[in-house]
Amino acid sequence: MKLWDKGFSTDKKIDHFTVGNDRELDLVLAKYDVIASTAHAKMLGKVGLISEEEAKDLVKALGEIGKDIEKGNFTIENDFEDMHSKIEFILTEKLGDTGKKIHSARSRNDQVLVAMQLYLKEELSEIREQVKSLFDLLMDLAEKHQKVLLPGYTHLQIAMPSSFGLWFSAYAESLIDDLYFVQAAHKIADQNPLGSAAGYGSSFPIDRTFTTTEMGFETLKYNVVAAQMGRGKVEKAAAFGISSVAATLSKMAMDICLYMSQNFDFISFPNELTTGSSIMPHKKNPDVFELIRAKCNRIQAVPNQLTLITNNLPSGYHRDLQLVKEVIVPALQDMQACLELMTFSLKEIRVNPKILDDPKYDYLFSVDTLNELVKSGMPFRDAYKTMGKAIENGNFKPKKDIEHTHEGSLGNLCLEQIKAKMEQALSS
């Protein structure tokens, strides 16, 4: 069954190629098509395009379909092109001619638009909550381990003293920046496109403000052509949001992989969070973090994938836009999985409190020792040369009782200010 069926069949090869994996992806989106269809049915009854009784029957039947979806009992067989055709078939089977009336004043174009935007709103909200959970954990870890020092690196060379307080809270504050992108994507998705039909509106006297309120959208996408042009654009906005989060997680996963190695030995995890080797019995591999790194790197490619699908399309609908679903849906699922596993694993992180006892890290303190000469009145450039000669001659004696007091340094992490910044970001 196809919503555009005019009494002739399509060649099976064409059918297979054009439908692709839409049926599988639509199982994810079907819940949102039911939500939108319910609002649409109520609106049709409100404006008099169907009777109040018909509207109630449609709402009831859609509720039953929604329950089947929730229980996992909803399927889209090969006889159906997509979720829209299957849902309309069920409505017609249950209600006869009343079921056939559900498609009045809408197109499959605005159907998929509104379902996708409802889906993106919910997924981005979930990601926002997951980001906040990871942030809270990182801040707790920063506070717990704030006095445990570890080496800071530039060019992967030993540079200056850092701390686990700095390391954990650095990634926490970075997540705030990522959240700004997620929030922006949510705002773009929070505009109701239903009623734009095929992209040029309808001659029916529909009430788009009603469906906007009914579905919980903040506002309308008023211009019907603009609503249609949102297809692909709203998915790309979501992709930019999650790619920002992914960049932070990927970098942290890389740090963890380095810090877990025996050459660093900064952190460890319980055996149950690592994997082994088929031939080397001593191995404790960071497979979870390697996969987070890889998945998050792949997520960062998604905005470019969507750009390449959509960037040379004129206004109006084109079948190319169908392909954005198969890019954004798995990316959102991967993002949630990575956030979940990063948070789950970091709860069990074990920190080495004696890293800097090893004399190979003494040079970390060269800058702090140099600064003591400057404080005593020596010009910085002379102090730099003096310290350089001491290091070269093997006479360097590090000053390890360092004191960093400025905002954001290892002696003044400003954790409360960072927490306040996150709260402000969440409420914006």
Side-chain angles (χ1 to χ4, degrees):
M1 177 185 170
K2 298 178 176 66
L3 296 183
W4 50 270
D5 186 7
K6 293 186 283 286
F8 60 87
S9 60
T10 310
D11 186 283
K12 286 185 178 179
K13 283 188 177 181
I14 300 297
D15 206 40
H16 179 74
F17 185 76
T18 54
V19 173
N21 63 346
D22 245 27
R23 296 184 188 95
E24 292 84 354
L25 293 168
D26 277 1
L27 290 174
V28 176
L29 297 173
K31 164 187 171 181
Y32 307 96
D33 192 54
V34 167
I35 292 170
S37 293
T38 301
H40 185 69
K42 289 180 181 179
M43 184 275 294
L44 292 177
K46 178 179 179 291
V47 300
L49 287 174
I50 60 176
S51 70
E52 288 187 15
E53 192 64 33
E54 287 173 321
K56 287 179 182 177
D57 290 343
L58 284 168
V59 169
K60 181 182 177 184
L62 285 163
E64 291 167 357
I65 296 171
K67 287 176 184 175
D68 281 340
I69 293 169
E70 193 176 334
K71 292 175 183 175
N73 296 332
F74 180 82
T75 57
I76 306 173
E77 296 83 357
N78 290 342
D79 295 339
F80 300 96
E81 191 172 21
D82 50 32
M83 61 181 170
H84 314 297
S85 53
K86 177 61 184 288
I87 290 170
E88 187 169 323
F89 173 82
I90 295 172
L91 290 175
T92 303
E93 197 174 44
K94 286 175 177 282
L95 305 174
D97 285 347
T98 299
K100 297 176 184 178
K101 294 181 179 182
I102 187 67
H103 203 59
S104 304
R106 71 176 183 182
S107 162
R108 189 167 58 165
N109 293 344
D110 63 341
Q111 264 190 276
V112 72
L113 265 170
V114 70
M116 176 59 76
Q117 287 183 222
L118 287 168
Y119 166 72
L120 289 175
K121 280 181 60 181
E122 190 165 298
E123 295 299 294
L124 291 169
S125 293
E126 176 61 28
I127 287 168
R128 180 174 57 194
E129 293 305 312
Q130 288 182 292
V131 167
K132 178 59 165 57
S133 294
L134 178 57
F135 171 88
D136 289 341
L137 174 61
L138 290 170
M139 294 298 283
D140 288 344
L141 290 168
E143 192 161 358
K144 180 179 179 181
H145 302 292
Q146 61 182 298
K147 296 189 178 182
V148 181
L149 297 182
L150 81 158
Y153 295 86
T154 61
H155 307 277
L156 275 180
Q157 306 294 304
I158 292 168
M160 290 179 66
S162 181
S163 70
F164 280 102
L166 267 182
W167 185 63
F168 285 123
S169 59
Y171 281 106
E173 191 168 5
S174 292
L175 286 172
I176 300 173
D177 297 338
D178 304 331
L179 195 62
Y180 293 141
F181 283 98
V182 174
Q183 299 276 64
H186 188 279
K187 194 166 187 68
I188 291 169
D190 204 7
Q191 305 174 87
N192 177 24
L194 186 62
S196 59
Y200 301 97
S202 172
S203 60
F204 290 112
I206 59 176
D207 187 343
R208 297 186 65 208
T209 299
F210 175 84
T211 57
T212 299
T213 303
E214 193 71 22
M215 289 184 287
F217 281 101
E218 182 184 20
T219 187
L220 266 163
K221 194 74 171 183
Y222 289 99
N223 185 293
V224 290
V225 178
Q228 184 59 62
M229 289 196 298
R231 182 89 182 269
K233 187 175 185 179
V234 67
E235 291 90 342
K236 189 160 71 169
F240 275 116
I242 63 173
S243 70
S244 186
V245 178
T248 299
L249 263 61
S250 176
K251 187 180 288 290
M252 188 169 200
M254 180 62 199
D255 277 359
I256 290 171
C257 291
L258 281 175
Y259 293 177
M260 280 181 68
S261 75
Q262 291 91 335
N263 302 81
F264 286 80
D265 193 29
F266 296 168
I267 59 174
S268 62
F269 288 88
N271 290 340
E272 58 266 26
L273 296 183
T274 63
T275 59
S277 162
S278 62
I279 62 170
M280 295 172 281
H282 67 282
K283 294 293 292 297
K284 289 177 65 176
N285 297 325
D287 284 22
V288 167
F289 300 102
E290 290 171 345
L291 286 170
I292 289 173
R293 181 175 60 194
K295 287 175 182 286
C296 286
N297 287 342
R298 185 169 63 185
I299 288 168
Q300 290 178 79
V302 171
N304 193 48
Q305 284 181 273
L306 294 175
T307 296
L308 291 173
I309 292 170
T310 62
N311 71 343
N312 63 342
L313 299 181
S315 61
Y317 175 75
H318 311 276
R319 194 65 181 259
D320 315 51
L321 294 166
Q322 176 181 315
L323 301 185
V324 301
K325 271 197 286 190
E326 62 189 52
V327 177
I328 192 64
V329 171
L332 287 161
Q333 292 170 338
D334 278 349
M335 185 76 265
Q336 292 191 26
C338 288
L339 281 163
E340 180 184 359
L341 265 294
M342 181 67 88
T343 304
F344 176 78
S345 300
L346 282 177
K347 288 177 182 177
E348 304 299 327
I349 193 170
R350 297 168 180 173
V351 166
N352 180 356
K354 298 181 179 180
I355 300 168
L356 299 195
D357 288 354
D358 190 323
K360 72 182 176 186
Y361 295 121
D362 283 356
Y363 292 129
L364 283 169
F365 300 95
S366 68
V367 176
D368 291 274
T369 310
L370 182 160
N371 288 349
E372 289 301 307
L373 296 176
V374 175
K375 288 178 184 177
S376 68
M378 186 182 293
F380 177 84
R381 190 52 58 201
D382 294 341
Y384 181 88
K385 290 178 180 178
T386 299
M387 192 58 56
K389 287 179 182 178
I391 291 169
E392 189 175 346
N393 296 332
N395 299 324
F396 172 64
K397 294 182 180 178
K399 176 187 181 298
K400 292 191 175 183
D401 56 333
I402 58 175
E403 187 179 2
H404 294 195
T405 59
H406 69 76
E407 300 94 326
S409 66
L410 59 86
N412 184 7
L413 294 176
C414 296
L415 298 183
E416 293 307 312
Q417 290 89 332
I418 294 172
K419 289 177 184 176
K421 188 192 284 189
M422 172 56 92
E423 291 304 317
Q424 187 178 21
L426 287 168
S427 63
S428 64

